[in-house]
Amino acid sequence: MSKDVVKVDEFEALAKKKMPKMAFDYYASGAEDEYTLQQNRDAFSRIRLRPRILVDVSSVNTSTTVLGFRIAMPIMVAPAALHKLAHPEGEVATARAVSAADTIMILSTTSSCSMEEVAAAAPGVRFFQLYVYKDRQISQHLVRRAEDAGFSALVLTVDTPRLGRREADLKNNFTLPPHIANPNMEAFVKHDKKERNGSSMLASWADKLFDRSLSWKDVKWLKSITKLPIILKGILNGEDAILAVQAGAAGIMVSNHGARQLDYVPPTISILEEVVKAVGGQVPVFVDGGIRRGTDVFKALALGASGVFVGRPSVFGLAVDGEAGVKKMLEMLRDELERTMTLMGVCSVDQISRHHVETEHEYNNGCNCSHHMHSKL
């Protein structure tokens, strides 16, 4: 149970004890050598905080606005597939926890509960994660269902013309247990558990459905068939960020897919500021990958993020204690962020600025950068 958990990291070790190896490895592993998986975490430790003192912090407020929606904290839940691998109630339990925490959840296309079930589970703001498939009618059908179910935005994953090589899934011969399905997609595809040509079941499924010809014109096509705002998830450089704005994106998520696609790409926090500068405030920029502490959240906000998304901690919290585990994970991150803000001399999210952090390059080079030298008092 989660009552003895005192930090988010502890959920992973407890989940490993509770979950079948195949399911745990599916969530925990990354692509190939898992270099980027480790770097997603380690890169946060290379950013230092610069607190201001003697500031009245008797009232600290973690609330913020994302795409016009007011939420209790800039910490949201990233899309992750097949939550029923972690807990029998799956995404429905996650949705209840996110609703209780008054924040936003992105539901995966490959969820193990239907988008309608999740929408009915609890009140709150939810976004729907989408792929554009070879058969555009599948994507269009999913968009219509998401609109009808009351989802407030679409999150288009743009880094997956095919699945990355996840060697843990290959070793475990990953297959879906018979009691778990992908109801959002079951009208379009059946998971073939026999013919996989040496790849995992999900990789085989993706090869059949995912469109490797996907390009910027398809982002414009998606924008033409819906009035929902579209966030592009999977951008890792400023050049693509500029193209995303030109294509009509309402937001950008700096993401390397939890280090599950291409190994040896940069950790997301190290790319965030480049993307923020490239878009110049035209759209909000979010980040996921490796966030386990309130200090991580603060660092991301200081580098220009409008909010962060957490993926694996949600699933591990769910595995350990169902809805209560996800709720505790989110509460711990919010409480840590609030404490960090208090000790940093910051009373609201919009007061967090670049002045509050220094990167490894800056402190190794004794940087007296202008953004550190101008007092805001």
Side-chain angles (χ1 to χ4, degrees), residues 36-45 47 76-79 233-236 253-260 265-272 286-293 296-297 299-300 305 307-313 333:
T36 298
L37 181 67
Q38 188 61 45
Q39 287 297 305
N40 269 355
R41 305 280 297 276
D42 291 349
F44 280 99
S45 68
I47 302 166
M76 297 162 280
V77 171
K233 175 182 181 289
I235 286 176
L236 286 175
M253 195 185 306
V254 178
S255 174
N256 53 35
H257 212 112
R260 292 162 67 77
V265 297
T268 48
I269 193 66
S270 73
I271 294 298
L272 173 60
F286 308 99
V287 65
D288 68 7
I291 292 153
R292 299 294 186 273
R293 284 286 193 186
D296 298 339
V297 179
K299 291 171 184 179
V308 306
F309 286 86
V310 292
R312 289 180 178 91
L333 284 178

Side-chain angles (χ1 to χ4, degrees), residues 5-309:
V5 173
V6 298
K7 61 179 182 177
V8 167
D9 254 347
E10 292 176 348
F11 279 114
E12 183 167 351
L14 291 172
K16 187 173 185 177
K17 293 177 182 175
K18 288 194 73 168
M19 296 175 70
K21 177 176 168 52
M22 183 182 72
F24 176 81
D25 287 354
Y26 169 70
Y27 290 128
S29 64
E32 296 187 348
D33 299 325
E34 299 187 336
Y35 170 81
T36 298
L37 181 67
Q38 188 61 45
Q39 287 297 305
N40 269 355
R41 305 280 297 276
D42 291 349
F44 280 99
S45 68
R46 297 193 286 270
I47 302 166
R48 299 199 305 207
L49 299 172
R50 304 179 71 252
R52 300 303 301 267
I53 58 167
L54 296 176
V55 177
D56 179 355
V57 285
S58 55
S59 177
V60 172
N61 183 357
T62 63
S63 70
T64 192
T65 302
V66 168
L67 297 187
F69 298 101
R70 196 77 185 169
I71 53 176
M73 55 184 169
I75 304 161
M76 297 162 280
V77 171
L82 303 167
H83 285 203
K84 283 187 179 180
L85 287 173
H87 188 274
E89 291 186 324
E91 290 82 2
V92 164
T94 307
R96 291 194 197 111
V98 173
S99 175
D102 190 20
T103 189
I104 293 170
M105 168 187 181
I106 304 176
L107 181 69
S108 170
T109 289
T110 47
S111 59
S112 49
C113 299
S114 73
M115 62 178 88
E116 292 81 8
E117 287 178 281
V118 173
V125 180
R126 291 185 193 94
F127 300 165
F128 183 70
Q129 178 267 332
L130 183 73
Y131 295 101
V132 172
Y133 297 102
K134 291 175 184 174
D135 182 348
R136 296 291 188 271
Q137 288 187 317
I138 297 176
S139 301
Q140 188 157 355
H141 174 79
L142 291 170
V143 168
R144 294 287 168 264
R145 280 178 63 186
E147 290 171 336
D148 292 345
F151 285 77
S152 300
L154 299 174
V155 179
L156 178 65
T157 295
V158 293
D159 62 2
T160 315
R162 63 183 297 187
L163 284 195
R165 183 177 171 83
R166 303 163 192 176
E167 290 168 1
D169 291 346
L170 292 173
K171 285 190 173 185
N172 293 330
N173 193 26
F174 180 86
T175 54
L176 276 185
H179 64 285
I180 295 178
N182 175 208
N184 294 327
M185 294 293 294
E186 63 189 357
F188 310 109
V189 63
K190 302 298 180 190
H191 291 296
D192 187 345
K193 298 187 178 184
K194 294 177 182 175
E195 295 296 330
R196 296 212 299 276
N197 301 319
S199 64
S200 76
M201 188 200 73
L202 286 177
S204 177
W205 176 79
D207 283 344
K208 289 178 182 176
L209 286 172
F210 289 2
D211 188 353
R212 297 189 193 183
S213 75
L214 190 69
S215 68
W216 291 105
K217 72 180 186 306
D218 299 295
V219 177
K220 293 178 180 177
W221 167 79
L222 181 61
K223 189 171 168 59
S224 76
I225 66 164
T226 182
K227 290 187 168 62
L228 293 179
I230 300 166
I231 296 171
L232 298 192
K233 175 182 181 289
I235 286 176
L236 286 175
N237 58 65
E239 298 94 318
D240 283 341
I242 291 167
L243 292 173
V245 174
Q246 292 172 352
I252 287 168
M253 195 185 306
V254 178
S255 174
N256 53 35
H257 212 112
R260 292 162 67 77
Q261 281 297 97
L262 180 63
D263 203 10
Y264 296 96
V265 297
T268 48
I269 193 66
S270 73
I271 294 298
L272 173 60
E273 194 167 24
E274 175 186 332
V275 171
V276 169
K277 287 179 178 175
V279 303
Q282 294 176 83
V283 299
V285 177
F286 308 99
V287 65
D288 68 7
I291 292 153
R292 299 294 186 273
R293 284 286 193 186
T295 48
D296 298 339
V297 179
F298 188 98
K299 291 171 184 179
L301 298 176
L303 291 171
S306 293
V308 306
F309 286 86

